[in-house]
Amino acid sequence: MRNRLWLSVRHLHPTCFSNPSAPSVTIRSMSSFTIPLDEGKRSVSVPVNSLSNLSKEDLLRFPAFQIWLSTLQRSLQRQHHPSHEFNHNPYVLRKINVQSVDYFKGGRLGFIKLNAEVSNGNGETLPGTVFLRGGSVGMLMILQPDDVPSSNEDEKRAILTIQPRIPAGSLAFPEIPAGMIDDSGTFAGAAAKEIEEETGLTIPQGELVDMTSLALQSISEPKDGESLQRAVYPSPGGSDEFIPLFLCQKRMARKEIESLQGRLTGLRQHGEKITLKIVPLKDLWKEALRDGKTLAAWALYNGLKQDGKI
């Protein structure tokens, strides 16, 4: 009982005691401000509770936040259409609580975790915990020996990268080459850059095929629909991350393809420890079945090929 009483009092007055055996309490400095939102016919201000190391200006400049907020706004505005299922009692973004901020080396804003309070007039809420990280790119790299006909699918090989992925608890996670885009980069440019960094192969942007955009062209989407990115969302229940998936098919000498097996690549000075693995294309889904973007890329490739798009 004495220990329980001590803990409760210490949490109420953390600066009044100095018992070294009691758990420490971290008090974060917070700041509050509002950001403007356009709700179509009127403009409103949404309150934001933020950490002191993230200013209003930095938050509004963060590309991931810009894209997320504008996408959410567009979706909320669609509720005003009589045919929308939430039209009778629309949901509203009422507050944003920034819970943590991570910076990359050099001070560039990297990730933000926030909670968006979204509710309707009856007090019904929607889950709003968001890990903001922005867009990434994924690349399906298919290599084919130049001593066989280009129509020979059996000889096609795919490149996987094997690297540590601490969030997954893995030191050898198999996946297709992928990477984040920087603040000013294009998706195709980022894809070409990641291919070179992770495989050592130089691929002109013009040789890359955006499979996600190509697939979406065959889908009839309403003009007033949600403005989602032309990409796949690997974890929409918790993260804003969207990944356009690119295809690159390259014919090379058989010995060159074989020489890639086991090659060590990646930006070692940035902690990238990548080993290349070359696998038969037909076995790609089995070799990297735990990686969602690999399965999505494999499905897109086969679907587009079946439809005669590639």
Side-chain angles (χ1 to χ4, degrees):
M1 178 63 72
R2 290 176 59 190
N3 287 339
R4 291 180 183 175
L5 179 60
W6 170 260
L7 289 175
S8 63
V9 173
R10 177 172 171 77
H11 278 78
L12 287 172
H13 304 284
T15 61
C16 298
F17 302 91
S18 58
N19 184 349
S21 64
S24 61
V25 177
T26 300
I27 301 178
R28 294 185 175 183
S29 178
M30 305 293 290
S31 64
S32 298
F33 48 83
T34 61
I35 57 174
L37 289 185
D38 182 8
E39 290 194 347
K41 296 182 179 180
R42 65 191 183 103
S43 295
V44 299
S45 294
V46 173
V48 177
N49 292 329
S50 178
L51 302 177
S52 60
N53 63 338
L54 179 66
S55 68
K56 175 180 178 178
E57 292 72 24
D58 287 341
L59 178 63
L60 293 177
R61 280 196 298 262
F62 187 38
F65 183 78
Q66 293 175 357
I67 294 173
W68 169 76
L69 186 61
S70 63
T71 303
L72 178 60
Q73 279 185 264
R74 174 76 179 270
S75 296
L76 292 174
Q77 289 171 4
R78 293 186 65 248
Q79 298 175 107
H80 299 303
H81 194 280
S83 64
H84 198 283
E85 62 178 312
F86 299 144
N87 174 258
H88 66 289
N89 196 359
Y91 286 90
V92 176
L93 174 61
R94 304 188 186 278
K95 184 187 292 186
I96 296 174
N97 299 302
V98 177
Q99 298 171 329
S100 66
V101 180
D102 284 346
Y103 288 88
F104 294 135
K105 290 181 179 179
R108 186 165 68 92
L109 187 55
F111 308 115
I112 293 177
K113 180 177 178 290
L114 60 81
N115 180 266
E117 296 184 14
V118 180
S119 62
N120 62 15
N122 292 337
E124 298 170 332
T125 62
L126 298 176
T129 298
V130 184
F131 176 63
L132 284 178
R133 55 164 293 151
S136 302
V137 290
M139 289 73 66
L140 175 57
M141 286 285 300
I142 298 177
L143 307 178
Q144 185 183 49
D146 57 11
D147 57 4
V148 299
S150 59
S151 59
N152 189 326
E153 290 286 315
D154 291 337
E155 288 282 356
K156 287 186 175 180
R157 300 290 184 265
I159 296 180
L160 290 176
T161 61
I162 312 298
Q163 60 183 309
R165 289 300 194 191
I166 298 304
S170 173
L171 295 181
F173 194 84
E175 58 188 304
I176 59 174
M180 297 179 65
I181 62 169
D182 58 29
D183 291 349
S184 59
T186 62
F187 291 122
K193 179 181 177 183
E194 289 297 330
I195 288 173
E196 185 170 6
E197 289 179 356
E198 297 196 359
T199 70
L201 300 175
T202 301
I203 306 295
Q205 293 186 35
E207 294 184 12
L208 299 175
V209 177
D210 187 341
M211 293 193 293
T212 38
S213 287
L214 193 58
L216 285 168
Q217 290 176 8
S218 60
I219 298 176
S220 178
E221 294 185 300
K223 292 182 179 180
D224 61 345
E226 294 188 329
S227 57
L228 300 180
Q229 297 295 307
R230 301 180 72 80
V232 298
Y233 286 76
S235 186
S239 175
D240 71 313
E241 183 183 19
F242 56 91
I243 309 177
L245 294 170
F246 288 85
L247 168 68
C248 177
Q249 300 195 75
K250 188 175 181 66
R251 288 172 62 81
M252 298 171 56
R254 189 178 294 271
K255 286 187 177 181
E256 286 186 73
I257 296 175
E258 293 173 352
S259 70
L260 294 174
Q261 190 73 266
R263 179 181 293 182
L264 303 180
T265 65
L267 300 178
R268 299 275 159 163
Q269 68 273 24
H270 294 295
E272 292 183 347
K273 314 292 184 183
I274 297 174
T275 302
L276 299 186
K277 183 176 183 179
I278 311 301
V279 302
L281 178 60
K282 61 183 177 62
D283 294 335
L284 178 64
W285 69 276
K286 292 186 289 187
E287 294 282 351
L289 60 85
R290 287 188 173 89
D291 180 45
K293 59 185 176 293
T294 297
L295 295 181
W298 187 81
L300 281 171
Y301 172 78
N302 284 284
L304 290 169
K305 195 166 186 63
Q306 180 178 308
D307 285 355
K309 299 290 181 65
I310 55 175

